[in-house]
């Protein structure tokens, strides 16, 4: 076993072209590896070899590698590895990816790959199958070349899908490995599966009431803008989408003062477009796996409809459909500590749906959502989807085939459309937009109607630069800070001063930053609470730069 791995690495991978300069440390986290693109060539080359081994471990099943840094600035880039059902990479292999990315020299790379092959009994008799995609960043093509050297070293069967959204690559992998049961691994199948179901449901809606099909689309000057233009052909004018921030050629514009992360973090409209009262603004991020809605009123007041709002909207609709269908199904919502306290209260008290809280990161939400017959998850940042157990999908379709009651039959038909409209592999801005627009149309709601279902607690996000983020440790789904010792007691004391106060801190997974979330009864109190907690973190953890003010 040692010989074939070593031969592949040394003779076929061009490893000498991609040495590790040794001046940076990389970590594969919930978003893969992200860094300034100039430091990633050797990382990409090694991830190409790792993803090939991952496919061989699954006996030639397709796995994926996406070159993207999502909502990060243009000069960054990164890599996400995708497993056989379109889900994120298994946690145990995240550790291997981190070890491989940081291996000092070529011989260390050989040793790590040999150890992986031994541990997982990977046989050289299996030919890897690797699907590859990339976003619009100027560095993505260069990094693709590094990936391909690694992938080709193992004589892989591979397909380069070019510039696509991250959710598309997840979708293609699920399609391929289910032998077409989920769809076909190409863009045409992706658009038709999601969009045909949307159009079918749209025909069932006869009274739009306050609903408007007009969307002002903020594409973050990234791949989401490119692919939304392609989607327009399939929508048959069921939606009227006006494109903004769709310049993918001027590379420095990517995510700059626009896109889902900018709108969510700054709680303001995106730049690059005229903002009109009560127009419907939809923002996606740089790789189109997040989506955020927003609008302003006649007084120029900004309103954000984020992942929490999407979660409550979709959860209520799905529960109503199952109630109308007569099927008794266990529906659950999964959130993180970043979810607004009033959204959780609305779901539990008003919708009567159980809510689970997990650590930040889509992989944690996705895993927990599988515990329910229908699991719905959305991070507050707009990343989320719906998961239906196989038995539930089958039950819905079988019951629809025999149902005689007209109202129950209609509810079952709508559920079938929602299932087919959902990209269950990962959060998908396009799929999620179609689902949101379906629910709004069915309810006859404007964005104001949607927003008025409950009131968010005012909240504030802040961050503190620290010497070493690894000195921080959290528990209880990141809601409690265990280390540094004593910090949580200080946070508790600060929170107690503010009505409806809540705050938590968590270390970043990619940089020496501690992130602070605070919410309270008023915006002024939320700001004050965030500042006090940020100051406590700065003082206890040896903050760097200017003290919070």
């Amino acid at each position: 076993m040692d010989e074939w791995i070593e031969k592949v690495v040394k003779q076929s991978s061009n490893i000498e072209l991609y040495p590790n300069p040794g001046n940076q440390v990389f970590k594969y986290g919930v978003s893969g590896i992200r860094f300034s693109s100039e430091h990633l060539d050797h990382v990409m080359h090694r991830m190409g070899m790792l993803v090939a081994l991952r496919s061989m471990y699954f006996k030639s099943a397709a796995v994926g590698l996406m070159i993207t840094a999502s909502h990060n600035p243009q000069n960054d880039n990164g890599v996400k590895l995708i497993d056989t059902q379109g889900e994120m990479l298994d946690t145990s292999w995240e550790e291997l990816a981190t070890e491989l990315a940081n291996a000092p020299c070529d011989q260390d790379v050989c040793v790590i790959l040999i150890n992986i092959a031994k541990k997982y009994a990977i046989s050289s008799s299996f030919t890897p199958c690797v699907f590859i995609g990339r976003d619009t960043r100027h560095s993505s093509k260069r990094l693709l070349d590094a990936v391909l050297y690694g992938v080709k070293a193992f004589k892989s069967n591979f397909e380069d899908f070019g510039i696509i959204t991250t959710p598309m690559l997840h979708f293609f992998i699920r399609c391929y490995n289910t032998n077409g049961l989920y769809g076909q691994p190409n863009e045409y199948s992706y658009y038709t599966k999601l969009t045909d179901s949307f159009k079918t449901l749209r025909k069932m809606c006869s009274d739009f009431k306050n609903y408007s099909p007009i969307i002002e689309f903020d594409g973050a000057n990234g791949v989401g803008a490119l692919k939304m233009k392609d989607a327009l052909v399939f929508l048959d004018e069921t939606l009227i989408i006006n494109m903004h921030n769709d310049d993918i050629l001027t590379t420095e514009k990517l995510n700059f003062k626009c896109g889902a992360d900018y709108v969510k973090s700054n709680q303001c409209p995106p730049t690059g477009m005229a903002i009109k009262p009560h127009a419907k603004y939809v923002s996606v991020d740089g790789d189109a796996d997040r989506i955020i809605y927003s609008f302003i009123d006649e007084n120029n007041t900004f309103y954000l409809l984020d992942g929490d709002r999407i979660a409550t909207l979709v959860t209520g609709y799905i529960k109503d459909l199952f109630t109308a269908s007569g099927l008794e199904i266990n529906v659950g919502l999964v959130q993180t500590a970043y979810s607004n306290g009033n959204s959780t209260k609305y779901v539990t008290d008003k919708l009567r749906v159980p809510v689970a809280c997990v650590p930040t990161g889509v992989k944690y939400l996705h895993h927990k959502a599988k515990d329910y017959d229908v699991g719905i998850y959305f991070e507050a940042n707009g990343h989320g989807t719906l998961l239906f157990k196989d038995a539930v999908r089958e039950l819905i379709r079988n019951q629809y085939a025999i149902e005689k009651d007209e109202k129950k039959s209609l509810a079952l038909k709508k559920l079938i459309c929602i299932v087919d409209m959902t990209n269950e592999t990962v959060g998908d801005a396009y799929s999620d937009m179609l689902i949101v627009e379906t629910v709004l149309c069915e309810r006859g709601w404007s964005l104001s109607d949607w927003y008025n279902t409950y009131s968010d607690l005012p909240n504030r996000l802040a961050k503190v630069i620290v010497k070493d983020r690894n000195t921080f440790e959290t528990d209880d789904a990141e809601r409690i800070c265990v280390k540094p010792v004593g910090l949580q007691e200080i946070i508790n004391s600060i929170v107690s001063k503010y009505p409806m106060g809540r705050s938590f801190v968590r270390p970043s997974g990619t940089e020496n930053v501690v992130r602070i979330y605070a919410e309270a009864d008023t915006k002024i109190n939320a700001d004050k609470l965030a500042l006090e907690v940020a100051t406590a973190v700065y003082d206890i953890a040896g903050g760097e730069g200017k003290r919070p003010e």
Side-chain angles (χ1 to χ4, degrees):
M1 175 150 327
D2 297 13
E3 293 180 356
W4 77 269
I5 289 278
E6 191 162 4
K7 181 178 179 181
V8 164
V9 175
K10 290 187 174 180
Q11 296 185 13
S12 305
S13 71
N14 291 93
I15 194 168
E16 70 281 356
L17 298 178
Y18 299 103
N20 181 0
N23 53 1
Q24 304 293 341
V25 177
F26 305 91
K27 179 177 173 57
Y28 195 106
V30 293
S31 300
I33 293 175
R34 292 183 191 169
F35 220 93
S36 177
S37 61
E38 63 189 86
H39 300 294
L40 288 175
D41 294 77
H42 77 281
V43 173
M44 293 296 186
H45 178 247
R46 296 172 184 190
M47 293 305 103
M49 290 189 282
L50 183 65
V51 76
L53 279 183
R54 184 69 173 162
S55 175
M56 294 170 76
Y57 169 64
F58 284 112
K59 301 180 180 179
S60 300
V63 293
L65 187 152
M66 184 71 193
I67 303 170
T68 182
S70 187
H71 58 275
N72 282 34
Q74 164 65 32
N75 289 334
D76 287 354
N77 216 319
V79 58
K80 297 178 181 178
L81 303 185
I82 304 170
D83 263 345
T84 57
Q85 291 304 302
E87 71 275 37
M88 295 194 170
L89 181 67
D90 184 82
T91 303
S92 62
W93 281 63
E94 289 182 3
E95 298 172 2
L96 299 176
T98 296
E99 183 182 12
L100 195 60
N102 293 293
C105 64
D106 297 353
Q107 188 56 44
D108 294 316
V109 171
C110 286
V111 170
I112 293 169
L113 294 175
I114 288 168
N115 289 339
I116 293 171
K118 283 181 177 179
K119 180 177 180 179
Y120 292 96
I122 296 173
S123 170
S124 60
S125 61
F126 293 104
T127 301
C129 178
V130 180
F131 286 2
I132 305 167
R134 66 184 190 273
D135 69 15
T136 57
R137 294 166 197 272
H138 66 275
S139 59
S140 291
K141 182 60 174 69
R142 185 192 86 243
L143 296 176
L144 170 66
D145 293 338
V147 167
L148 291 177
Y149 274 129
V151 168
K152 290 178 180 178
F154 288 85
K155 302 188 186 307
S156 305
N157 293 321
F158 70 92
E159 183 159 359
D160 174 15
F161 287 93
I163 297 175
I164 56 174
T165 70
T166 295
M168 281 181 168
L169 189 61
H170 286 259
F171 178 91
F172 297 161
I173 292 166
R174 172 77 69 88
C175 291
Y176 182 87
N177 289 329
T178 56
N179 295 317
L181 291 177
Y182 195 70
Q184 297 300 319
N186 57 63
E187 292 190 35
Y188 179 82
S189 177
Y190 170 85
Y191 286 121
T192 53
K193 180 183 180 184
L194 302 184
T195 310
D196 286 355
S197 301
F198 172 76
K199 291 188 291 188
T200 298
L201 262 173
R202 181 51 56 96
K203 291 175 183 176
M204 299 182 200
C205 188
S206 57
D207 186 1
F208 281 23
K209 298 179 183 175
N210 295 333
Y211 173 75
S212 169
I214 303 173
I215 291 173
E216 306 299 329
F217 187 82
D218 165 22
N221 295 307
V223 66
L226 180 68
K227 295 307 174 184
M228 181 54 71
K229 291 178 180 178
D230 293 340
L232 294 177
V233 177
F234 297 87
L235 285 166
D236 295 338
E237 297 185 346
T238 49
L239 293 174
I240 301 169
I241 299 180
N242 300 316
M243 298 296 300
H244 309 277
N245 293 322
D246 57 348
D247 182 359
I248 65 169
L249 299 178
T250 308
T251 55
E252 64 269 16
K253 290 185 178 181
L254 176 66
N255 295 319
F256 183 70
K257 293 187 177 182
C258 60
D261 186 66
Y262 174 82
V263 174
K264 170 64 177 174
S265 298
N266 294 278
Q267 300 196 26
C268 68
T271 61
M273 53 206 298
I275 306 299
K276 300 171 290 186
H278 295 288
K280 183 191 300 181
Y281 296 97
V282 174
S283 298
V284 302
D285 67 332
D287 65 343
D289 59 7
R290 298 185 187 184
I291 184 169
I292 294 288
Y293 278 70
S294 63
F295 71 99
I296 64 166
D297 64 14
E298 57 279 356
N299 298 316
N300 209 35
T301 302
F302 175 76
Y303 296 87
L304 179 69
L305 296 136
D306 60 7
D308 290 339
R309 293 282 182 172
I310 295 172
T312 58
L313 179 77
V314 173
T315 300
Y317 180 69
I318 293 296
K319 187 185 178 185
D320 287 351
L321 285 183
F322 275 113
T323 299
S325 73
L327 299 179
E328 294 186 5
I329 296 297
N330 178 23
V331 178
L333 175 65
V334 187
Q335 295 183 320
T336 72
Y338 282 108
S339 294
N340 193 277
N342 276 359
S343 74
T344 307
K345 185 177 181 181
Y346 176 79
V347 174
T348 55
D349 295 352
K350 178 74 172 178
L351 302 181
R352 302 290 183 183
V353 170
V355 177
C357 185
V358 298
T360 304
V362 174
K363 66 179 181 181
Y364 300 114
L365 290 101
H366 194 93
H367 179 75
K368 183 63 179 178
K370 292 180 179 180
D371 289 349
Y372 301 99
D373 292 335
V374 179
I376 301 165
Y377 71 83
F378 277 89
E379 291 187 295
N381 62 27
H383 195 165
T385 190
L386 293 72
L387 301 182
F388 299 85
K389 284 189 174 178
D390 292 341
V392 172
R393 290 194 213 98
E394 186 176 357
L395 176 63
I396 294 169
R397 295 182 191 279
N398 290 344
Q399 188 62 34
Y400 176 68
I402 63 173
E403 185 59 64
K404 302 300 182 183
D405 183 275
E406 186 176 340
K407 290 184 178 179
K408 290 182 178 179
S409 180
L410 180 61
L412 289 165
K413 185 176 182 180
K414 290 179 179 180
L415 282 168
I416 290 171
C417 289
I418 290 294
V419 170
D420 290 340
M421 201 188 304
T422 303
N423 184 354
E424 296 185 57
T425 62
V426 74
D428 182 336
Y430 181 64
S431 168
D432 292 340
M433 184 189 76
L434 296 182
I435 295 171
V436 168
E437 292 300 317
T438 293
V439 181
L440 292 177
C441 186
E442 289 270 306
R443 302 288 201 212
W445 283 357
S446 65
L447 292 193
S448 296
D449 296 326
W450 176 14
Y451 188 85
N452 288 330
T453 51
Y454 68 89
S455 297
D456 276 325
L457 285 171
N459 57 89
R460 178 75 174 180
L461 295 170
K463 64 181 180 180
V464 175
I465 301 173
V466 296
K467 292 179 181 178
D468 184 6
R469 70 181 187 274
N470 296 312
T471 60
F472 282 76
E473 185 178 324
T474 62
D475 199 359
D476 189 25
E478 300 180 319
R479 291 177 286 191
I480 299 295
C481 184
V482 179
K483 293 181 181 178
V485 175
L487 177 58
Q488 186 60 49
E489 286 72 20
I490 296 174
I491 294 173
N492 293 343
S493 176
I494 296 170
V495 167
S496 68
K497 299 187 298 184
Y498 295 92
M500 304 183 75
R502 181 170 74 92
S503 183
F504 67 90
V505 302
R506 58 177 288 271
S508 167
T510 57
E511 53 186 330
N512 281 323
V513 164
V514 173
R515 305 192 187 282
I516 293 101
Y517 176 87
E519 64 183 30
D521 61 330
T522 67
K523 185 178 185 303
I524 291 175
N525 281 344
D527 289 345
K528 287 181 177 179
L529 175 54
L531 177 59
E532 282 200 60
V533 173
T535 302
V537 170
Y538 183 93
D539 292 342
I540 287 180
E544 297 191 333
K546 193 174 182 179
R547 196 165 184 263
E549 60 181 25

